[in-house]
Amino acid sequence: MKRRQILTVGAVTAATSLAAGGAASAAPPGNAGPPGNAGPPGNGERTPPGLAKKDDLAWAAGGEIEIGSAVAGGGHHASQPYPPPFTDDETYRELLGQEFTSLSAENQMKWSFLRPERDTYAFAAADAIMDFARRHGQVVRGHTLLWHSQNPAWLEEGEFGPEELRTILKDHIDTVVGRYAGHIQQWDVANEIFTEDGALRESENIWIRELGPGIIADAFRWAHAADPQARLYVNDYNVEGVNAKSDAYYALVQDLLADGVPVHGFSTQGHLSIRYGFPGGLVENLERFADLGLETAITELDVRMDLPDGAEPTEEQLAKQADYYWRMTEGALAAVGCTSLTLWGFVDTYSWVPVTFEGQGAATVMWEDYTRKSAYYAVQDALAQASGRAGHPALRR
């Protein structure tokens, strides 16, 4: 398989070779999203894309790949000492619209957020993201439909029989996917369904435990019926390279395809830590799924580091982090069939990492004051090299 040709430079070079500032130019366009809280989407017409400066990630990507970010909100953010990021932080919104061509709801499309009660759908926050994406010419990834985590208590603790539980899932997929039909580019349909040794999460995942493995195929079929245009993905962490877990997905996808199930993509999340070595075999792994006819993506990239007792990152840690960001970006660009690279947030202020991993943090590409880290320039430089924009005067110091 012929790979894209990329001029490779080191992350340390990347951290010092890109300039700030520059005139405005049009960012790569995305598909239109629905209006805000007024109800279901309209006719899906495109609107003019937002403007990206000539040193931003969207401009550096140059249409070579979708460069995305998770939209902060819901989840751990509700317990943090700051107002809701997406609605109350003007700088955050400006950069979210300017730097990226793709958006993912961090929590706002998960079951726990969308379904506070069985008969209640809370669409306002998700609709607002869709409206923002439409106005900024961005595509959207939907996340997620079938998962073992972040489910509401009424679902996990309810005494539902198999047929009723099946109806609940189908109604959810029909309603949520159908609401945004024609406006969401990719959906994470089955999320984190395997353990590290490649076994199905039968005890943890209410859907698989109560309805059997066949519910995975049903979820894909229902999602496709609700939105035939959306590309439907399996998505997980620790599947960057070839290992027991990614092998399980490889076998599952082959079985699904053989049964005519509409699965279109495989994605690795990319939650990395510099505590561990960089995962090997990224391009090889992505391309074996591409050889099956699937698209691939990196969907939740961040790179955390150990910061015990509130320590500040060292230069060595920051350089290693930048190198990991560089290598993940380069891998996404090198792998034939990889359509998008999404950062799981871009500013440390709103990162999930310190809340989830005690004593770890600084995982994103920007400091809390929105100044850029070496990691930002590593991503930017890799994108610019691939798109042929690395020689532009705005990308020189």
Side-chain angles (χ1 to χ4, degrees), residues 266-302:
F266 165 83
S267 53
T268 180
Q269 294 175 8
H271 293 298
L272 306 183
S273 169
I274 63 170
R275 179 190 296 181
Y276 310 110
F278 186 83
L282 174 64
V283 174
E284 175 191 356
N285 187 41
L286 294 180
E287 289 192 342
R288 68 171 174 161
F289 285 92
D291 286 342
L292 297 177
L294 268 62
E295 299 174 357
T296 62
I298 296 172
T299 55
E300 304 180 21
L301 178 60
D302 53 23

Short mmCIF file of all heavy atoms in Angstrom, two decimals, residues 266-302:
data_model
loop_
_atom_site.label_atom_id
_atom_site.label_comp_id
_atom_site.label_asym_id
_atom_site.label_seq_id
_atom_site.Cartn_x
_atom_site.Cartn_y
_atom_site.Cartn_z
N PHE A 266 -12.55 2.32 11.91
CA PHE A 266 -11.88 1.91 13.14
C PHE A 266 -11.09 3.11 13.66
O PHE A 266 -10.40 3.77 12.89
CB PHE A 266 -10.91 0.75 12.88
CG PHE A 266 -9.93 0.50 13.99
CD1 PHE A 266 -10.29 -0.25 15.09
CD2 PHE A 266 -8.64 1.04 13.94
CE1 PHE A 266 -9.39 -0.48 16.13
CE2 PHE A 266 -7.73 0.81 14.96
CZ PHE A 266 -8.11 0.04 16.06
N SER A 267 -11.20 3.39 14.95
CA SER A 267 -10.45 4.53 15.50
C SER A 267 -9.79 4.18 16.82
O SER A 267 -10.35 3.46 17.64
CB SER A 267 -11.35 5.75 15.66
OG SER A 267 -12.51 5.45 16.42
N THR A 268 -8.58 4.69 16.96
CA THR A 268 -7.87 4.60 18.23
C THR A 268 -7.91 5.96 18.90
O THR A 268 -7.76 6.99 18.26
CB THR A 268 -6.42 4.14 18.03
OG1 THR A 268 -5.76 4.08 19.30
CG2 THR A 268 -5.64 5.08 17.11
N GLN A 269 -8.15 5.96 20.20
CA GLN A 269 -8.34 7.23 20.90
C GLN A 269 -7.04 8.02 21.03
O GLN A 269 -7.01 9.21 20.78
CB GLN A 269 -8.96 6.95 22.27
CG GLN A 269 -10.36 6.39 22.18
CD GLN A 269 -10.95 5.99 23.53
OE1 GLN A 269 -10.37 6.27 24.60
NE2 GLN A 269 -12.08 5.32 23.51
N GLY A 270 -5.97 7.37 21.48
CA GLY A 270 -4.70 8.07 21.59
C GLY A 270 -4.50 8.78 22.91
O GLY A 270 -3.84 9.82 22.96
N HIS A 271 -5.04 8.24 24.00
CA HIS A 271 -4.74 8.78 25.34
C HIS A 271 -3.40 8.20 25.78
O HIS A 271 -3.31 7.05 26.21
CB HIS A 271 -5.84 8.40 26.33
CG HIS A 271 -7.15 9.03 26.06
ND1 HIS A 271 -7.33 10.41 26.07
CD2 HIS A 271 -8.36 8.50 25.76
CE1 HIS A 271 -8.59 10.69 25.79
NE2 HIS A 271 -9.24 9.55 25.60
N LEU A 272 -2.34 9.01 25.67
CA LEU A 272 -0.98 8.54 25.92
C LEU A 272 -0.41 9.17 27.19
O LEU A 272 -0.88 10.20 27.67
CB LEU A 272 -0.07 8.88 24.74
CG LEU A 272 -0.52 8.40 23.35
CD1 LEU A 272 0.53 8.77 22.32
CD2 LEU A 272 -0.81 6.92 23.33
N SER A 273 0.63 8.54 27.70
CA SER A 273 1.38 9.07 28.84
C SER A 273 2.86 8.94 28.54
O SER A 273 3.31 7.89 28.05
CB SER A 273 1.04 8.30 30.12
OG SER A 273 1.94 8.64 31.17
N ILE A 274 3.63 9.98 28.85
CA ILE A 274 5.07 9.88 28.62
C ILE A 274 5.73 8.96 29.64
O ILE A 274 6.93 8.67 29.53
CB ILE A 274 5.76 11.27 28.62
CG1 ILE A 274 5.64 11.95 29.98
CG2 ILE A 274 5.18 12.15 27.52
CD1 ILE A 274 6.49 13.21 30.09
N ARG A 275 4.97 8.50 30.63
CA ARG A 275 5.47 7.50 31.57
C ARG A 275 5.83 6.21 30.83
O ARG A 275 6.71 5.46 31.26
CB ARG A 275 4.41 7.21 32.63
CG ARG A 275 4.81 6.16 33.65
CD ARG A 275 3.63 5.75 34.52
NE ARG A 275 3.13 6.85 35.33
CZ ARG A 275 2.11 6.71 36.18
NH1 ARG A 275 1.48 5.55 36.28
NH2 ARG A 275 1.71 7.75 36.90
N TYR A 276 5.12 5.97 29.74
CA TYR A 276 5.31 4.74 28.96
C TYR A 276 5.96 5.08 27.62
O TYR A 276 5.92 6.21 27.15
CB TYR A 276 3.97 4.06 28.73
CG TYR A 276 3.15 3.89 29.98
CD1 TYR A 276 1.99 4.63 30.18
CD2 TYR A 276 3.56 3.00 30.99
CE1 TYR A 276 1.25 4.49 31.35
CE2 TYR A 276 2.82 2.86 32.16
CZ TYR A 276 1.66 3.61 32.33
OH TYR A 276 0.94 3.48 33.48
N GLY A 277 6.51 4.07 26.98
CA GLY A 277 7.09 4.27 25.67
C GLY A 277 6.02 4.58 24.63
O GLY A 277 4.84 4.24 24.81
N PHE A 278 6.43 5.20 23.54
CA PHE A 278 5.47 5.50 22.48
C PHE A 278 5.01 4.20 21.84
O PHE A 278 5.81 3.33 21.54
CB PHE A 278 6.12 6.40 21.42
CG PHE A 278 5.16 6.86 20.36
CD1 PHE A 278 4.36 7.95 20.58
CD2 PHE A 278 5.05 6.17 19.15
CE1 PHE A 278 3.45 8.37 19.61
CE2 PHE A 278 4.16 6.58 18.18
CZ PHE A 278 3.34 7.68 18.42
N PRO A 279 3.69 4.06 21.63
CA PRO A 279 3.18 2.79 21.07
C PRO A 279 3.69 2.57 19.65
O PRO A 279 3.59 3.45 18.80
CB PRO A 279 1.66 2.98 21.10
CG PRO A 279 1.44 4.46 21.14
CD PRO A 279 2.61 5.01 21.91
N GLY A 280 4.20 1.39 19.38
CA GLY A 280 4.72 1.08 18.06
C GLY A 280 3.64 0.54 17.14
O GLY A 280 2.57 0.11 17.57
N GLY A 281 3.91 0.60 15.86
CA GLY A 281 3.05 -0.04 14.88
C GLY A 281 1.77 0.70 14.56
O GLY A 281 0.81 0.11 14.07
N LEU A 282 1.74 2.01 14.77
CA LEU A 282 0.52 2.78 14.56
C LEU A 282 0.07 2.71 13.09
O LEU A 282 -1.09 2.38 12.81
CB LEU A 282 0.72 4.24 14.97
CG LEU A 282 -0.43 5.20 14.67
CD1 LEU A 282 -1.68 4.81 15.45
CD2 LEU A 282 -0.03 6.64 14.98
N VAL A 283 0.96 3.04 12.19
CA VAL A 283 0.58 3.06 10.77
C VAL A 283 0.22 1.66 10.29
O VAL A 283 -0.78 1.46 9.59
CB VAL A 283 1.72 3.67 9.91
CG1 VAL A 283 1.40 3.55 8.43
CG2 VAL A 283 1.94 5.13 10.29
N GLU A 284 1.02 0.68 10.67
CA GLU A 284 0.73 -0.71 10.29
C GLU A 284 -0.66 -1.12 10.77
O GLU A 284 -1.43 -1.75 10.02
CB GLU A 284 1.78 -1.64 10.90
CG GLU A 284 1.51 -3.13 10.68
CD GLU A 284 2.42 -4.01 11.51
OE1 GLU A 284 3.32 -3.48 12.21
OE2 GLU A 284 2.22 -5.25 11.47
N ASN A 285 -0.99 -0.77 11.99
CA ASN A 285 -2.29 -1.16 12.54
C ASN A 285 -3.44 -0.46 11.81
O ASN A 285 -4.42 -1.10 11.41
CB ASN A 285 -2.34 -0.83 14.03
CG ASN A 285 -3.58 -1.35 14.70
OD1 ASN A 285 -4.03 -2.48 14.44
ND2 ASN A 285 -4.17 -0.55 15.56
N LEU A 286 -3.33 0.85 11.63
CA LEU A 286 -4.38 1.57 10.94
C LEU A 286 -4.57 1.04 9.51
O LEU A 286 -5.70 0.89 9.03
CB LEU A 286 -4.08 3.07 10.91
CG LEU A 286 -4.08 3.80 12.25
CD1 LEU A 286 -3.75 5.28 12.04
CD2 LEU A 286 -5.42 3.65 12.98
N GLU A 287 -3.47 0.74 8.85
CA GLU A 287 -3.57 0.33 7.46
C GLU A 287 -4.11 -1.08 7.29
O GLU A 287 -4.67 -1.41 6.23
CB GLU A 287 -2.23 0.51 6.76
CG GLU A 287 -1.89 1.98 6.57
CD GLU A 287 -0.72 2.22 5.63
OE1 GLU A 287 0.05 1.26 5.38
OE2 GLU A 287 -0.58 3.35 5.14
N ARG A 288 -4.00 -1.93 8.30
CA ARG A 288 -4.62 -3.25 8.14
C ARG A 288 -6.14 -3.14 8.18
O ARG A 288 -6.84 -3.90 7.52
CB ARG A 288 -4.10 -4.24 9.19
CG ARG A 288 -4.49 -3.98 10.64
CD ARG A 288 -4.10 -5.16 11.49
NE ARG A 288 -4.33 -4.90 12.92
CZ ARG A 288 -4.42 -5.85 13.83
NH1 ARG A 288 -4.32 -7.13 13.47
NH2 ARG A 288 -4.61 -5.54 15.10
N PHE A 289 -6.66 -2.15 8.92
CA PHE A 289 -8.10 -1.92 8.89
C PHE A 289 -8.50 -1.25 7.57
O PHE A 289 -9.56 -1.55 7.02
CB PHE A 289 -8.52 -1.06 10.08
CG PHE A 289 -8.56 -1.81 11.38
CD1 PHE A 289 -7.45 -1.86 12.21
CD2 PHE A 289 -9.69 -2.51 11.76
CE1 PHE A 289 -7.47 -2.57 13.40
CE2 PHE A 289 -9.73 -3.22 12.95
CZ PHE A 289 -8.61 -3.26 13.77
N ALA A 290 -7.63 -0.37 7.08
CA ALA A 290 -7.90 0.24 5.77
C ALA A 290 -7.94 -0.83 4.68
O ALA A 290 -8.72 -0.73 3.73
CB ALA A 290 -6.85 1.29 5.45
N ASP A 291 -7.12 -1.85 4.81
CA ASP A 291 -7.10 -2.93 3.83
C ASP A 291 -8.42 -3.72 3.82
O ASP A 291 -8.73 -4.39 2.83
CB ASP A 291 -5.94 -3.89 4.10
CG ASP A 291 -4.60 -3.30 3.71
OD1 ASP A 291 -4.58 -2.32 2.93
OD2 ASP A 291 -3.56 -3.79 4.19
N LEU A 292 -9.18 -3.62 4.90
CA LEU A 292 -10.51 -4.23 4.96
C LEU A 292 -11.58 -3.34 4.33
O LEU A 292 -12.74 -3.73 4.24
CB LEU A 292 -10.90 -4.54 6.41
CG LEU A 292 -10.04 -5.55 7.17
CD1 LEU A 292 -10.53 -5.67 8.61
CD2 LEU A 292 -10.03 -6.90 6.47
N GLY A 293 -11.16 -2.14 3.92
CA GLY A 293 -12.09 -1.20 3.33
C GLY A 293 -12.62 -0.16 4.28
O GLY A 293 -13.55 0.59 3.94
N LEU A 294 -12.04 -0.08 5.49
CA LEU A 294 -12.51 0.87 6.49
C LEU A 294 -11.73 2.18 6.44
O LEU A 294 -10.56 2.20 6.05
CB LEU A 294 -12.37 0.27 7.89
CG LEU A 294 -13.58 -0.48 8.46
CD1 LEU A 294 -13.91 -1.68 7.59
CD2 LEU A 294 -13.32 -0.90 9.90
N GLU A 295 -12.39 3.26 6.85
CA GLU A 295 -11.69 4.49 7.20
C GLU A 295 -11.07 4.29 8.58
O GLU A 295 -11.49 3.41 9.35
CB GLU A 295 -12.66 5.67 7.27
CG GLU A 295 -13.38 5.98 5.99
CD GLU A 295 -14.44 7.06 6.18
OE1 GLU A 295 -14.63 7.51 7.34
OE2 GLU A 295 -15.08 7.43 5.19
N THR A 296 -10.09 5.10 8.92
CA THR A 296 -9.54 5.09 10.27
C THR A 296 -9.41 6.52 10.78
O THR A 296 -9.47 7.48 10.01
CB THR A 296 -8.16 4.40 10.32
OG1 THR A 296 -7.24 5.12 9.49
CG2 THR A 296 -8.25 2.95 9.86
N ALA A 297 -9.22 6.65 12.09
CA ALA A 297 -9.10 7.97 12.69
C ALA A 297 -8.40 7.85 14.04
O ALA A 297 -8.41 6.79 14.67
CB ALA A 297 -10.48 8.60 12.88
N ILE A 298 -7.80 8.94 14.47
CA ILE A 298 -7.34 9.11 15.86
C ILE A 298 -8.29 10.11 16.48
O ILE A 298 -8.45 11.23 15.98
CB ILE A 298 -5.88 9.59 15.91
CG1 ILE A 298 -4.96 8.53 15.31
CG2 ILE A 298 -5.47 9.91 17.35
CD1 ILE A 298 -3.52 8.98 15.13
N THR A 299 -8.95 9.72 17.57
CA THR A 299 -10.14 10.45 18.00
C THR A 299 -10.05 11.20 19.32
O THR A 299 -10.88 12.07 19.57
CB THR A 299 -11.32 9.47 18.10
OG1 THR A 299 -10.96 8.39 18.98
CG2 THR A 299 -11.70 8.91 16.74
N GLU A 300 -9.05 10.90 20.16
CA GLU A 300 -9.06 11.51 21.50
C GLU A 300 -7.64 11.75 22.00
O GLU A 300 -7.29 11.43 23.14
CB GLU A 300 -9.82 10.62 22.50
CG GLU A 300 -11.25 10.31 22.07
CD GLU A 300 -12.01 9.43 23.06
OE1 GLU A 300 -11.62 9.38 24.26
OE2 GLU A 300 -12.99 8.79 22.66
N LEU A 301 -6.81 12.36 21.17
CA LEU A 301 -5.38 12.46 21.48
C LEU A 301 -5.09 13.45 22.59
O LEU A 301 -5.49 14.62 22.54
CB LEU A 301 -4.62 12.87 20.21
CG LEU A 301 -3.11 13.05 20.36
CD1 LEU A 301 -2.43 11.78 20.82
CD2 LEU A 301 -2.51 13.53 19.02
N ASP A 302 -4.41 12.97 23.61
CA ASP A 302 -3.73 13.83 24.59
C ASP A 302 -2.54 13.06 25.14
O ASP A 302 -2.45 11.84 25.00
CB ASP A 302 -4.66 14.33 25.71
CG ASP A 302 -5.43 13.23 26.43
OD1 ASP A 302 -5.00 12.07 26.41
OD2 ASP A 302 -6.49 13.53 27.02
#
